[in-house]
Amino acid sequence: MLEAKIPSGPIEQQWDKGRLEMKLVNPANRRKHSIIVVGAGLAGAAAAATLGEQGYHVQCFSYHDTPRRAHSIAAQGGINAAKNYRNDGDSVFRLFKDTVKGGDYRAREANVYRLAQISNNIIDQCVAQGVPFAREYGGLLDTRSFGGVQVQRTFYARGQTGQQLLLGAYQALEEQLAAKTVTMHIRTELLDVVIVNGRARGIVTRNLVTGEIECHAADVIVLATGGYSNVFYYSTNAKACNCTAIWRAYRRGALFGNPCFTQIHPTCIPLSSEHQSKLTLMSESLRNDGRIWVPKKKGDTRSPKDIPENERDYYLERRYPGFGNLVPRDVASRNAKEVCDEGRGVGPNGQGVYLDFADAIHRLGLETVREKYGNLFDIYERITGEDAYTVPMRIYPAPHYTMGGLWVDYRLMSTIPGLFVAGEANFSDHGANRLGASALMQGLADGYFILPSTVPDYLATTALDPVDTSHAAFTAMKTEVTNRIKSLIAINGKRSPDSFQRELGKLMWDECGMARSDAGLRKALARIPELREEFWHNLRIIGGDEELNQALENANRASDFLELAELMCVDALNRTESCGGHFRVESQTPEGEAKRDDANFCYSAAWEWKGPGQAPALHKEPLTFEFVPLSQRSYK
Ligand SMILES: Cc1cc2nc3c(=O)[nH]c(=O)nc-3n(C[C@H](O)[C@H](O)[C@H](O)COP(=O)(O)OP(=O)(O)OC[C@H]3O[C@@H](n4cnc5c(N)ncnc54)[C@H](O)[C@@H]3O)c2cc1C
């Protein structure tokens, strides 16, 4: 059933060959086709702008009040590309190899190779748009290191890379809005996907200001709706990030790939109070120059400046001399948890480790450090009240990114014909662990380069019946969506949507977070249906459905998180191996590293919805590694 549709031939020629074989749509015929793009973050804005430029009739949807508010704006550290400006040994093949290895051999080789190839086009495209990447004295674009690699391939714009890239994509989108090839629907949330004759042909949305439920038809639907880390409640994602679009598509037949593959980022500001609503990331780029340590002694409450060098444990440098503080995120996160569990954590609740810049300031000078990371130090000071130029930062791991998402083939099409998925919303090219600075690369590769080839091929090779919103499938879906909204309001119980999500998030963090066990996952699988049952009987939403109502929005999103959480635990329970960010305590090496089981789990798991109360069905896409042979990861 799962056919990845990878073009034949040598891996370095597959994308070019595949594109050559793809059919084109004559420019005069393009305006006859309509495309819906849901999402205006980096992946969605890039896709909408490029397809609009090609001449298609594009409608772009976002629940934000402007594309510029998409969560992509929060990306701080940078974007990878194999330009090798530094001549430090980088190449397309090395970026490919690092990404396959970093993902712990759970991604499709052909996709990752293509990603590495396209990485260089992305930098050219963004420079042409005027994205102000940092430059060296000589004028070349500057690069820095990120985790899991030994070259400097990360392009950056201070600590605001996502914002600058999004402004580039936004101005490209604005140009198409002015040209009227793209129509933008802001503050409009997708609540379901409409399937006609087995193909995705439209969406049902809610206008978040008026509450109106509307139908929109098209020839192709693209979902670029971001990740689902907020299933943990506390995460580095924006508060509004949610899983509704991909979850509803899953319920209509799109398979969900590797739902349990989530990333816990090692460098976030620790939680200071349960009343806090989200966590703040301190970019991984800080690990270039900051040194991570904890006291050697348990329960050492001395101020960091009073702890002498020989009483500090630079545990990453000690355990992984090859990569030191730049080990991949999963390894850095697990090690932080381990030293805190040993009682050597720092800060008010012992849930923190130091990220110390004293050496870097001594070596590079205060001004250089300020120039490279100034805005991150400012964020840290605003939140903690501490000056990280003089006192080490305190950091702790937090949910950050989801490698899981809707399963897609090489052309980024889901198992529903005509439904394409891009950016963090698809199950991506990152396997079981994403390397830093590669999400922006993937989102822009999908949006600027891959979809603009694969969507036209679908249009050119598919005989599509004329369908509009008067079709019975739209009427039925509109009724279903309306009834669901009304039934949420009608519950009229006592608990707020937020309280359910908070409880779910804690359960997921404890049992399906940085470490997972058979017993813990079974506990979560027993509790989630109870919590869902209570949700549908005891939820309270203040206000009505025909107005701006954020409690209703939150409740609607929470209802989907309550279902997705269960699938994540089912997937995690099934995968009895450890790999990347999925650490099963029953499967570790004698040194406490993740131990894969290639004989039984060298596959991507793709789950099929079987109906309410029914167990989902597992489909497997076998993975083969011809160019980066399977081996136990080592960063020693
Ligand atoms: C704090 C932080 C820092 C990061 N830093 C980096 C970094 O330095 N480098 C890197 O490579 N990656 C980084 N990442 C990851 C990266 O930012 C994201 O993976 C990426 O930006 C996601 O882009 P996207 O276009 O897929 O989704 P998003 O930017 O999340 O956009 C989603 C879009 O979909 C819309 N949407 C969602 N659901 C619906 C719906 N139901 N109806 C209508 N519209 C909907 C939203 O309005 C939005 O427009 C970081 C992530 C975080 C959290």
Side-chain angles (χ1 to χ4, degrees):
M1 179 181 184
L2 287 178
E3 180 48 69
K5 301 198 181 105
I6 299 166
S8 58
I11 196 165
E12 58 278 12
Q13 291 169 20
Q14 283 169 347
W15 178 232
D16 284 342
K17 181 169 174 286
R19 269 193 307 165
L20 204 57
E21 287 165 359
M22 285 177 205
K23 299 274 176 289
L24 300 175
V25 178
N26 174 312
N29 286 336
R30 293 181 195 163
R31 70 180 77 95
K32 296 180 191 154
H33 287 291
S34 54
I35 299 171
I36 283 177
V37 178
V38 187
L42 281 176
T50 313
L51 290 163
E53 169 76 39
Q54 287 185 356
Y56 295 99
H57 178 67
V58 180
Q59 295 190 70
C60 184
F61 294 78
S62 163
Y63 59 64
H64 288 100
D65 54 355
T66 159
R68 282 171 301 153
R69 281 198 205 285
H71 166 66
S72 291
I73 200 172
Q76 302 171 341
I79 177 167
N80 289 330
K83 285 284 195 188
N84 194 27
Y85 285 158
R86 284 186 179 268
N87 202 11
D88 60 354
D90 205 5
S91 63
V92 165
F93 196 87
R94 193 178 290 279
L95 172 49
F96 157 63
K97 187 175 157 207
D98 286 343
T99 309
V100 169
K101 179 182 166 201
D104 219 355
Y105 301 89
R106 291 296 174 262
R108 207 184 275 150
E109 269 193 336
N111 283 49
V112 182
Y113 194 90
R114 173 179 66 185
L115 180 64
Q117 282 176 311
I118 292 177
S119 69
N120 289 338
N121 303 120
I122 296 171
I123 300 301
D124 296 343
Q125 165 99 353
C126 296
V127 168
Q129 285 174 342
V131 171
F133 285 120
R135 285 179 187 268
E136 288 183 325
Y137 181 74
L140 274 186
L141 299 188
D142 196 11
T143 48
R144 56 190 176 195
S145 307
F146 259 55
V149 303
Q150 287 175 316
V151 293
Q152 285 186 250
R153 66 161 72 100
T154 304
F155 294 78
Y156 64 100
R158 241 180 148 202
Q160 309 168 347
T161 316
Q163 180 176 359
Q164 299 305 331
L165 292 172
L166 191 60
L167 286 172
Y170 173 70
Q171 79 187 8
L173 185 61
E174 276 289 303
E175 190 189 346
Q176 297 309 312
L177 291 175
K180 298 198 173 9
T181 55
V182 181
T183 312
M184 191 71 217
H185 302 256
I186 56 164
R187 292 183 151 197
T188 308
E189 183 156 23
L190 175 152
L191 294 187
D192 228 315
V193 177
V194 181
I195 316 286
V196 179
N197 296 333
R199 297 187 182 279
R201 294 305 302 268
I203 60 173
V204 177
T205 59
R206 178 169 182 270
N207 180 317
L208 298 183
V209 180
T210 64
E212 196 178 340
I213 307 290
E214 293 168 327
C215 295
H216 308 268
D219 297 333
V220 162
I221 316 295
V222 175
L223 298 185
T225 49
Y228 53 89
S229 288
N230 281 346
V231 71
F232 294 101
Y233 188 78
Y234 288 116
S235 92
T236 61
N237 285 198
K239 277 299 282 178
C241 290
N242 68 83
C243 69
T244 290
I246 56 171
W247 188 253
R248 305 268 166 113
Y250 165 71
R251 289 178 56 130
R252 299 291 158 210
L255 300 196
F256 206 117
N258 300 328
C260 81
F261 284 178
T262 56
Q263 176 162 88
I264 312 293
H265 196 294
T267 57
C268 302
I269 300 180
L271 184 69
S272 63
S273 139
E274 292 232 328
H275 300 293
Q276 206 171 310
S277 61
K278 76 176 292 303
L279 295 171
T280 306
L281 179 78
M282 288 288 98
S283 166
E284 173 168 324
S285 60
L286 294 170
R287 286 201 272 145
N288 262 289
D289 290 307
R291 297 181 70 197
I292 295 175
W293 64 276
V294 289
K296 283 187 176 162
K297 208 167 58 184
K298 286 184 186 173
D300 191 338
T301 52
R302 285 176 294 173
S303 139
K305 69 174 175 7
D306 297 329
I307 303 180
E309 271 301 309
N310 62 354
E311 292 182 40
R312 299 175 177 194
D313 181 10
Y314 294 90
Y315 56 90
L316 290 178
E317 296 173 26
R318 172 173 58 81
R319 293 188 66 175
Y320 308 96
F323 284 69
N325 294 297
L326 283 172
V327 288
R329 292 175 175 178
D330 55 329
V331 178
S333 295
R334 272 201 296 283
N335 276 271
K337 179 176 187 299
E338 207 174 295
V339 294
C340 292
D341 289 352
E342 286 167 11
R344 297 195 289 140
V346 301
N349 52 13
Q351 298 287 292
V353 300
Y354 289 128
L355 178 62
D356 197 335
F357 286 85
D359 271 6
I361 292 171
H362 181 69
R363 185 166 37 91
L364 304 168
L366 186 70
E367 270 324 300
T368 307
V369 172
R370 199 189 298 279
E371 214 172 89
K372 280 170 117 172
Y373 310 113
N375 69 316
L376 301 172
F377 279 57
D378 292 347
I379 295 173
Y380 185 81
E381 183 166 18
R382 247 173 262 147
I383 291 176
T384 63
E386 291 170 14
D387 172 14
Y389 294 105
T390 54
V391 184
M393 284 183 182
R394 282 174 298 108
I395 51 164
Y396 195 68
H400 177 65
Y401 182 86
T402 45
M403 284 78 71
L406 292 185
W407 184 92
V408 286
D409 63 16
Y410 187 75
R411 297 175 176 211
L412 304 185
M413 190 158 83
S414 72
T415 48
I416 300 178
L419 182 74
F420 291 77
V421 194
E424 197 174 336
N426 70 28
F427 87 132
S428 83
D429 303 341
H430 313 292
N433 172 59
R434 174 175 73 80
L435 290 182
S438 57
L440 302 183
M441 172 173 70
Q442 181 227 327
L444 291 179
D446 290 359
Y448 282 134
F449 297 100
I450 302 171
L451 290 175
S453 292
T454 61
V455 167
D457 177 65
Y458 172 80
L459 290 169
T461 55
T462 311
L464 290 164
D465 307 325
V467 167
D468 63 28
T469 55
S470 63
H471 191 284
F474 281 89
T475 324
M477 191 61 75
K478 186 174 177 182
T479 307
E480 196 175 323
V481 165
T482 308
N483 290 346
R484 187 177 168 112
I485 294 282
K486 296 232 179 274
S487 58
L488 282 169
I489 301 246
I491 299 169
N492 205 17
K494 294 202 164 48
R495 281 185 70 174
S496 69
D498 206 53
S499 82
F500 283 102
Q501 240 201 289
R502 217 177 253 268
E503 187 177 339
L504 177 72
K506 173 147 182 23
L507 184 67
M508 291 302 283
W509 176 244
D510 289 345
E511 311 301 352
C512 196
M514 253 195 288
R516 296 115 187 238
S517 69
D518 184 276
L521 289 165
R522 288 183 196 280
K523 185 174 147 200
L525 282 169
R527 179 65 190 134
I528 294 166
E530 292 170 1
L531 194 58
R532 206 165 46 226
E533 182 69 14
E534 191 192 341
F535 175 90
W536 283 102
H537 287 96
N538 197 21
L539 172 76
R540 182 171 182 80
I541 296 174
I542 296 167
D545 59 339
E546 291 176 4
E547 58 186 343
L548 175 70
N549 186 340
Q550 291 195 315
L552 175 60
E553 290 167 31
N554 292 342
N556 197 34
R557 294 166 187 169
S559 72
D560 292 321
F561 278 127
L562 279 160
E563 294 182 4
L564 166 64
E566 190 172 355
L567 185 69
M568 289 170 67
C569 293
V570 167
D571 186 40
L573 188 64
N574 169 68
R575 197 173 276 276
T576 55
E577 66 163 354
S578 290
C579 56
H582 169 62
F583 190 71
R584 279 292 295 260
V585 294
E586 298 92 350
S587 179
Q588 38 184 311
T589 64
E591 300 85 42
E593 304 294 344
K595 188 169 155 218
R596 290 198 323 266
D597 174 359
D598 294 328
N600 293 302
F601 291 99
C602 199
Y603 64 78
S604 295
W607 295 90
E608 182 186 1
W609 168 257
K610 286 289 187 186
Q614 304 296 312
L618 173 62
H619 302 265
K620 298 176 184 177
E621 181 196 343
L623 298 170
T624 48
F625 293 91
E626 208 184 319
F627 299 93
V628 193
L630 282 163
S631 64
Q632 185 68 34
R633 279 192 315 169
S634 171
Y635 293 97
K636 298 271 178 198

CSV table of all heavy atoms in Angstrom, one decimal, residues 247 250-252 532 563 566 608-617:
chain,number,residue,atom,x,y,z
A,247,TRP,N,-4.6,16.3,11.9
A,247,TRP,CA,-5.4,15.2,12.6
A,247,TRP,C,-6.7,15.0,11.8
A,247,TRP,O,-7.1,13.8,11.6
A,247,TRP,CB,-5.6,15.6,14.0
A,247,TRP,CG,-6.2,14.5,14.8
A,247,TRP,CD1,-7.5,14.3,15.2
A,247,TRP,CD2,-5.6,13.2,15.1
A,247,TRP,NE1,-7.8,13.1,15.7
A,247,TRP,CE2,-6.6,12.4,15.7
A,247,TRP,CE3,-4.3,12.7,14.9
A,247,TRP,CZ2,-6.3,11.1,16.1
A,247,TRP,CZ3,-4.1,11.4,15.3
A,247,TRP,CH2,-5.0,10.6,15.9
A,250,TYR,N,-6.0,13.0,8.9
A,250,TYR,CA,-5.8,11.6,9.2
A,250,TYR,C,-7.1,10.9,9.4
A,250,TYR,O,-7.3,9.8,8.9
A,250,TYR,CB,-5.0,11.6,10.6
A,250,TYR,CG,-5.0,10.3,11.3
A,250,TYR,CD1,-4.2,9.2,10.8
A,250,TYR,CD2,-5.6,10.2,12.5
A,250,TYR,CE1,-4.2,8.0,11.5
A,250,TYR,CE2,-5.6,9.0,13.2
A,250,TYR,CZ,-4.9,7.9,12.7
A,250,TYR,OH,-4.9,6.7,13.4
A,251,ARG,N,-8.1,11.6,10.0
A,251,ARG,CA,-9.4,10.9,10.2
A,251,ARG,C,-10.1,10.7,8.9
A,251,ARG,O,-11.1,10.0,8.8
A,251,ARG,CB,-10.2,11.8,11.2
A,251,ARG,CG,-9.7,11.6,12.6
A,251,ARG,CD,-10.5,12.5,13.5
A,251,ARG,NE,-11.9,12.2,13.5
A,251,ARG,CZ,-12.7,11.9,14.5
A,251,ARG,NH1,-12.2,11.9,15.8
A,251,ARG,NH2,-14.0,11.7,14.4
A,252,ARG,N,-9.7,11.4,7.8
A,252,ARG,CA,-10.3,11.3,6.5
A,252,ARG,C,-9.5,10.3,5.6
A,252,ARG,O,-9.8,10.2,4.4
A,252,ARG,CB,-10.4,12.6,5.8
A,252,ARG,CG,-11.2,13.7,6.5
A,252,ARG,CD,-12.7,13.3,6.5
A,252,ARG,NE,-13.3,14.0,7.6
A,252,ARG,CZ,-14.4,13.6,8.2
A,252,ARG,NH1,-15.0,12.5,7.9
A,252,ARG,NH2,-14.9,14.3,9.2
A,532,ARG,N,-10.3,12.1,27.9
A,532,ARG,CA,-11.1,12.4,26.8
A,532,ARG,C,-12.6,12.4,27.1
A,532,ARG,O,-13.4,13.2,26.8
A,532,ARG,CB,-10.8,11.5,25.6
A,532,ARG,CG,-11.0,12.1,24.2
A,532,ARG,CD,-10.4,11.4,23.1
A,532,ARG,NE,-10.6,9.9,23.2
A,532,ARG,CZ,-9.6,9.0,23.0
A,532,ARG,NH1,-8.4,9.4,22.8
A,532,ARG,NH2,-9.9,7.8,23.1
A,563,GLU,N,-6.8,13.1,21.0
A,563,GLU,CA,-6.8,11.9,20.2
A,563,GLU,C,-5.4,11.6,19.7
A,563,GLU,O,-5.0,10.4,19.7
A,563,GLU,CB,-7.8,12.0,19.0
A,563,GLU,CG,-9.2,12.1,19.5
A,563,GLU,CD,-10.2,12.3,18.3
A,563,GLU,OE1,-9.8,12.2,17.2
A,563,GLU,OE2,-11.4,12.4,18.6
A,566,GLU,N,-3.0,9.7,22.1
A,566,GLU,CA,-3.2,8.3,22.2
A,566,GLU,C,-2.4,7.6,21.0
A,566,GLU,O,-1.7,6.6,21.3
A,566,GLU,CB,-4.7,7.9,22.1
A,566,GLU,CG,-4.9,6.5,22.4
A,566,GLU,CD,-6.4,6.2,22.5
A,566,GLU,OE1,-7.2,7.2,22.5
A,566,GLU,OE2,-6.8,5.0,22.7
A,608,GLU,N,-3.1,4.1,10.2
A,608,GLU,CA,-4.3,4.4,9.5
A,608,GLU,C,-5.5,4.5,10.5
A,608,GLU,O,-5.7,3.6,11.4
A,608,GLU,CB,-4.6,3.3,8.5
A,608,GLU,CG,-5.9,3.5,7.7
A,608,GLU,CD,-6.2,2.3,6.8
A,608,GLU,OE1,-5.5,1.3,6.8
A,608,GLU,OE2,-7.3,2.3,6.1
A,609,TRP,N,-6.3,5.5,10.5
A,609,TRP,CA,-7.5,5.7,11.3
A,609,TRP,C,-8.5,4.6,11.0
A,609,TRP,O,-8.8,4.4,9.8
A,609,TRP,CB,-8.0,7.1,11.1
A,609,TRP,CG,-9.3,7.4,11.7
A,609,TRP,CD1,-10.5,7.5,11.0
A,609,TRP,CD2,-9.7,7.8,13.0
A,609,TRP,NE1,-11.5,7.9,11.8
A,609,TRP,CE2,-11.1,8.0,13.1
A,609,TRP,CE3,-8.9,7.9,14.2
A,609,TRP,CZ2,-11.7,8.4,14.2
A,609,TRP,CZ3,-9.6,8.2,15.4
A,609,TRP,CH2,-10.9,8.5,15.4
A,610,LYS,N,-9.0,4.0,12.0
A,610,LYS,CA,-10.0,3.0,11.7
A,610,LYS,C,-11.4,3.3,12.3
A,610,LYS,O,-12.3,2.4,12.3
A,610,LYS,CB,-9.5,1.6,12.3
A,610,LYS,CG,-8.4,1.0,11.5
A,610,LYS,CD,-9.0,0.5,10.1
A,610,LYS,CE,-8.0,-0.3,9.3
A,610,LYS,NZ,-8.6,-0.6,8.0
A,611,GLY,N,-11.5,4.5,12.8
A,611,GLY,CA,-12.8,4.9,13.4
A,611,GLY,C,-12.7,5.1,14.9
A,611,GLY,O,-11.8,4.6,15.5
A,612,PRO,N,-13.7,5.8,15.5
A,612,PRO,CA,-13.6,6.1,16.9
A,612,PRO,C,-13.7,4.8,17.7
A,612,PRO,O,-14.4,3.9,17.4
A,612,PRO,CB,-14.9,6.9,17.2
A,612,PRO,CG,-15.5,7.3,15.8
A,612,PRO,CD,-14.9,6.4,14.8
A,613,GLY,N,-12.8,4.7,18.7
A,613,GLY,CA,-12.8,3.5,19.6
A,613,GLY,C,-12.2,2.3,19.0
A,613,GLY,O,-12.0,1.3,19.6
A,614,GLN,N,-11.7,2.4,17.7
A,614,GLN,CA,-11.0,1.3,17.0
A,614,GLN,C,-9.5,1.5,17.1
A,614,GLN,O,-9.1,2.6,17.0
A,614,GLN,CB,-11.5,1.2,15.6
A,614,GLN,CG,-12.9,1.1,15.3
A,614,GLN,CD,-13.5,-0.2,15.9
A,614,GLN,OE1,-13.0,-1.2,15.7
A,614,GLN,NE2,-14.6,0.0,16.6
A,615,ALA,N,-8.8,0.4,17.2
A,615,ALA,CA,-7.3,0.5,17.1
A,615,ALA,C,-6.9,0.9,15.7
A,615,ALA,O,-7.4,0.4,14.8
A,615,ALA,CB,-6.7,-0.8,17.5
A,616,PRO,N,-5.9,1.8,15.6
A,616,PRO,CA,-5.4,2.2,14.3
A,616,PRO,C,-4.7,1.0,13.7
A,616,PRO,O,-4.1,0.2,14.4
A,616,PRO,CB,-4.5,3.4,14.6
A,616,PRO,CG,-4.1,3.2,16.0
A,616,PRO,CD,-5.2,2.5,16.7
A,617,ALA,N,-4.6,1.0,12.4
A,617,ALA,CA,-3.8,-0.1,11.7
A,617,ALA,C,-2.4,0.4,11.3
A,617,ALA,O,-2.3,1.5,10.9
A,617,ALA,CB,-4.6,-0.5,10.4
